Amino acid sequence: MADINATYADLVEEAFIQPLRSVLIVDDQYPTWEEILNEALPADNQARGLAVRSREKEWRRNPSGPLDVIKQFRSHKPGFVIDIHDAVSGETHKSDEDELADYLHQSDLLVLDYNLEGAESGLGGLKAREILKSVLTNKHFNLIVVHTSEHDLNEVFSDCLLSLMQSCASRFDGDIDAGISKLEKKLDELVDEGLFDRKVLFEKMTMDDYLSLRRAHVSLGDAIRSFMKAEGYLADVSAWAKQAGLAGKDLKDFFYWAVQEFEKPHKKLFSEGEFEGVSWSRDPERLWFRTVRGFVAFVSKGPTDLLSELQKALEAWQPTPSRLLSAKYRHELSSIGVEAEDRTLLKRHVFAHFYKDFCSKGNPKLSDAEAERLRTAKLKSHVYSKSEAISFHIEDEVARFGERIRLADGGESEDFARFYNLDLSDEKSAESKKARAHYNSYVSTLPLKKGDDQLDSGHIFKWGGDWWVCATPACDLQPGQNTTAFVGESSEQRPFTALKLVEVKNMDDVDDQHVNSGLFCFVEPVDQLGAVICLGFQKIEKSEIVPNQKIEKSEIVPNGKATWRTFVAEKNGLISQNKMSMIVPKFVDQKLVLEAAEAEVVAKLRYEYALNYIQKIGISVTRIGLGYS
């Protein structure tokens, strides 16, 4: 039975903290296994450099700090597997980063000391920032605690955050640079006249102001418009520029100048590229940021429970119910996935037959390349079925966790809904309509993969300015399968049927009757990420105004005939870089012509949705009443 007393903190702990089993501590003042064991060797056999470095470490004079941290993780139930790295064993920063990245493949949590070089080095956390960047580019989602004795935790946070960003100035185009150069001459004149002082910029513009401009949802165009009105984050900077007599184009150039000047003292911090999905909080009570590859909390050294501080930072992030469910799914898969997998694999006859079929070339007429593609297709299908079977064993526990989320949310109050930062209270609002469109796309389409793929049922492509969906059963599209479309057979060309789709230009015309009609689909084209379009094989038109009402009603144009064509895919249906070569049979001057064409594959429907269009083809070719007048 679901725990009705669970709080949001309980849910975050269960999803993110309880799954942790191992921790890697990176601190140049902590003892490592290497140095401890090195001391046990006879003096002549000891590594001298390691011994010297060990004797200089702070823990020898004050072991309580490292001991308290280690005790925290040992006392956790279940206890953590702990490893320690002092980040100075490599000869270069790069070797350290690579080594740590390898360590993290086996660690759930990283505790990273910020000043690994020592305060006297003057490097100010350079090595820690490089390690952080390396960790946040590996293939795993990492939980990281930056643990520091620096007096200004805010500055440590800002420096680490800037190291994940590309400077704005590095992306200014030639026109902007020319405008700044021209403005500089005018500013020189104002300085000479005593009307302007460049140093005042750092009194008017704070790090908070700059980071507010860098948030993902802030448009630079909107920021400039606010700046021109002396509003928004840089209102004080704008007012200061206006006091100096700047207006119009000069004032706009001053915006770019101010951003560039503010970035100059931080120039060495910025990254050459932008990290994906960066978001953050500068709340002094809880400093954190995240990317798509990790979450980073910032904590001052002292008698602090690091796991508790990490959990509070995670709560401040406010992961959505969807993220909690995803984290719970990963944990359950890790916890009982092996057991579930073993239950599945006990069916030896099933998997013996799979392996025999997988290793078989199938049709002896297939080339080696085509046989490999066929085996790949079989393996993908096998992985899908196996994943579904394993998920079946853990779905009940994840569902129970989802019920706990709902109960903790208070049922009807939907307090957790605000964590999505969307207001869907008005069903007719633009946000609600967008949410429905994206949800419909999510449940009906699969993400396209990079690299090569095989033409399959439900692949949506554009050709000749029109939209088409492949409506041939999947079993007829694999290399080596027989075809009934033409006499004979080919190992290079594969006939397939496609249904023509029509794009609905105005999404406001799509209502419940269209969504539930089975005639339309919702896709997010690979070349229009973030935009969902509605496609159907029948048009939507506005009917006359309904009597006694001031609204028009959208109706499906009554046309039961679907437009479909037979195409021939080249290279046995190979899709490369979202492109597919094909042959289009058509009549020209009373003669059949085979025209070469290239189609752009933009999306793929899930099979149950593709099957709907396959059925529409069947309905289209089984009409009766040909003799009706």
Side-chain angles (χ1 to χ4, degrees):
M1 184 174 179
D3 181 5
I4 61 174
N5 298 314
T7 64
Y8 185 69
D10 296 332
L11 299 171
V12 170
E13 180 186 16
E14 184 174 343
F16 290 101
I17 302 299
Q18 288 183 12
L20 300 177
R21 293 292 180 266
S22 61
V23 58
L24 171 63
I25 301 173
V26 180
D27 195 313
D28 64 325
Q29 296 302 316
Y30 275 49
T32 65
W33 281 110
E34 289 81 0
E35 65 187 59
I36 291 173
L37 295 174
N38 185 61
E39 290 181 359
L41 295 173
D44 292 343
N45 293 338
Q46 289 183 10
R48 296 186 180 277
L50 185 60
V52 171
R53 186 167 74 243
S54 177
R55 287 194 293 270
E56 295 175 348
K57 288 188 176 182
E58 177 65 25
W59 72 270
R60 291 187 175 278
R61 296 179 289 277
N62 181 22
S64 60
L67 184 59
D68 288 343
V69 172
I70 291 172
K71 281 183 176 179
Q72 290 178 27
F73 295 114
R74 290 288 190 218
S75 61
H76 189 268
K77 301 299 180 183
F80 276 61
V81 175
I82 302 173
D83 196 6
I84 298 173
H85 194 284
D86 62 8
V88 293
S89 60
E91 298 180 359
T92 66
H93 294 313
K94 190 63 179 176
S95 63
D96 295 340
E97 297 156 28
D98 290 344
E99 186 175 354
L100 284 168
D102 291 338
Y103 267 103
L104 280 171
H105 283 212
Q106 307 299 327
S107 301
D108 301 321
L109 173 65
L110 168 64
V111 175
L112 176 63
D113 175 43
Y114 184 67
N115 208 330
L116 293 170
E117 310 90 343
E120 69 283 353
S121 69
L123 294 175
L126 173 62
K127 183 176 286 189
R129 291 195 300 274
E130 291 300 318
I131 290 172
L132 195 61
K133 288 164 65 176
S134 176
V135 170
L136 293 175
T137 54
N138 71 27
K139 295 181 179 180
H140 303 272
F141 183 84
N142 306 284
L143 289 175
I144 304 163
V145 174
V146 174
H147 200 207
T148 179
S149 56
E150 295 286 317
H151 69 281
D152 191 343
L153 191 62
N154 240 309
E155 184 177 347
V156 171
F157 168 83
S158 299
D159 287 356
C160 290
L161 181 56
L162 291 181
S163 71
L164 307 183
M165 297 179 175
Q166 188 177 1
S167 69
C168 290
S170 66
R171 293 180 289 184
F172 288 169
D173 59 28
D175 291 339
I176 293 176
D177 290 336
I180 293 175
S181 297
K182 186 177 180 181
L183 178 67
E184 280 282 7
K185 297 176 182 178
K186 187 167 291 189
L187 295 180
D188 287 340
E189 295 174 2
L190 293 174
V191 170
D192 292 340
E193 296 170 8
L195 299 175
F196 186 77
D197 182 358
R198 287 181 170 85
K199 295 178 182 177
V200 174
L201 173 66
F202 297 96
E203 299 173 11
K204 302 288 185 181
M205 186 174 179
T206 66
M207 181 59 74
D208 281 330
D209 295 330
Y210 176 79
L211 290 177
S212 295
L213 288 174
R214 297 302 305 269
R215 289 193 181 277
H217 64 271
V218 176
S219 162
L220 199 59
D222 290 340
I224 292 174
R225 282 188 285 274
S226 296
F227 180 81
M228 300 297 283
K229 299 175 184 177
E231 298 173 348
Y233 309 114
L234 300 186
D236 289 346
V237 179
S238 177
W240 171 49
K242 288 180 178 180
Q243 289 175 2
L246 300 179
K249 177 69 163 57
D250 288 339
L251 186 60
K252 184 177 180 180
D253 289 337
F254 191 85
F255 173 88
Y256 293 114
W257 174 87
V259 172
Q260 179 177 274
E261 286 297 303
F262 187 86
E263 289 181 341
K264 282 182 179 179
H266 311 287
K267 187 176 181 180
K268 293 183 179 179
L269 294 173
F270 288 106
S271 174
E272 293 182 0
E274 198 88 3
F275 279 65
E276 184 181 355
V278 181
S279 60
W280 64 87
S281 168
R282 275 176 64 82
D283 184 339
E285 295 298 318
R286 198 64 55 200
L287 294 169
W288 60 265
F289 65 70
R290 68 168 295 273
T291 72
V292 295
R293 297 290 175 84
F295 179 90
V296 187
F298 291 79
V299 180
S300 294
K301 285 188 176 180
T304 305
D305 183 345
L306 293 182
L307 284 178
S308 176
E309 292 299 308
L310 173 60
Q311 179 174 336
K312 290 176 183 177
L314 286 165
E315 291 172 30
W317 167 32
Q318 296 181 338
T320 64
S322 305
R323 287 193 182 277
L324 293 175
L325 283 168
S326 181
K328 179 65 174 178
Y329 177 85
R330 286 198 306 269
H331 177 44
E332 289 299 320
L333 190 62
S334 174
S335 299
I336 66 172
V338 173
E339 180 183 349
E341 182 181 37
D342 189 60
R343 292 178 197 166
T344 305
L345 294 176
L346 287 175
K347 299 179 178 180
R348 292 183 300 151
H349 289 82
V350 172
F351 295 100
H353 181 81
F354 154 73
Y355 191 67
K356 178 182 177 181
D357 185 47
F358 171 66
C359 291
S360 171
K361 185 176 181 179
N363 189 333
K365 296 181 180 180
L366 291 177
S367 67
D368 290 342
E370 289 165 342
E372 183 179 351
R373 282 171 52 200
L374 179 59
R375 282 193 292 268
T376 299
K378 290 179 179 178
L379 191 57
K380 287 180 180 179
S381 177
H382 175 71
V383 170
Y384 181 83
S385 299
K386 186 177 177 182
S387 300
E388 188 177 38
I390 293 174
S391 295
F392 177 79
H393 291 286
I394 66 175
E395 61 185 18
D396 289 343
E397 186 61 35
V398 177
R400 280 191 287 270
F401 183 69
E403 182 63 10
R404 294 183 68 209
I405 295 175
R406 187 190 68 82
L407 292 173
D409 196 15
E412 297 299 323
S413 65
E414 296 182 344
D415 189 45
F416 299 164
R418 60 188 171 86
F419 297 163
Y420 292 96
N421 293 318
L422 293 173
D423 182 5
L424 305 182
S425 57
D426 182 0
E427 289 289 329
K428 296 181 180 180
S429 69
E431 287 287 18
S432 292
K433 292 176 182 178
K434 183 176 181 180
R436 283 194 295 272
H438 278 267
Y439 180 79
N440 288 338
S441 174
Y442 168 76
V443 299
S444 63
T445 62
L446 294 167
L448 286 181
K449 299 177 181 178
K450 295 181 179 179
D452 293 347
D453 201 357
Q454 173 70 35
L455 178 64
D456 201 356
S457 302
H459 266 126
I460 294 176
F461 60 93
K462 289 189 78 172
W463 166 71
D466 293 323
W467 297 88
W468 300 82
V469 57
C470 177
T472 291
C475 56
D476 292 337
L477 291 169
Q478 299 302 329
Q481 298 298 313
N482 294 326
T483 175
T484 58
F486 302 118
V487 175
E489 54 186 51
S490 171
S491 62
E492 283 293 322
Q493 297 167 331
R494 183 139 299 274
F496 69 97
T497 301
L499 182 69
K500 186 177 181 180
L501 300 175
V502 180
E503 181 178 355
V504 177
K505 297 298 184 182
N506 186 0
M507 289 287 283
D508 288 340
D509 292 340
V510 183
D511 57 26
D512 290 348
Q513 68 160 332
H514 306 119
V515 173
N516 297 317
S517 68
L519 304 178
F520 299 89
C521 60
F522 299 82
V523 300
E524 184 178 3
V526 68
D527 59 342
Q528 301 178 44
L529 294 181
V532 173
I533 62 173
C534 177
L535 301 171
F537 75 80
Q538 294 184 341
K539 293 181 179 179
I540 295 177
E541 289 186 358
K542 292 283 189 178
S543 65
E544 295 181 359
I545 296 179
V546 178
N548 302 320
Q549 296 184 29
K550 296 182 179 180
I551 59 171
E552 289 186 342
K553 189 177 180 181
S554 299
E555 291 187 343
I556 303 169
V557 174
N559 176 11
K561 185 177 180 181
T563 300
W564 55 272
R565 297 283 184 270
T566 296
F567 299 99
V568 180
E570 296 277 33
K571 301 177 182 177
N572 237 326
L574 175 67
I575 299 172
S576 182
Q577 302 300 320
N578 298 325
K579 303 289 185 183
M580 175 179 64
S581 299
M582 64 181 190
I583 295 173
V584 181
K586 57 172 58 177
F587 288 108
V588 178
D589 296 332
Q590 306 296 315
K591 293 183 180 180
L592 180 65
V593 175
L594 302 180
E595 181 181 283
E598 184 178 70
E600 180 184 10
V601 180
V602 295
K604 184 182 180 183
L605 295 174
R606 296 181 188 273
Y607 189 69
E608 57 268 36
Y609 289 85
L611 188 61
N612 174 54
Y613 288 112
I614 294 174
Q615 292 171 340
K616 292 293 186 289
I617 296 288
I619 293 171
S620 178
V621 298
T622 55
R623 296 190 303 278
I624 62 172
L626 299 180
Y628 287 158
S629 172

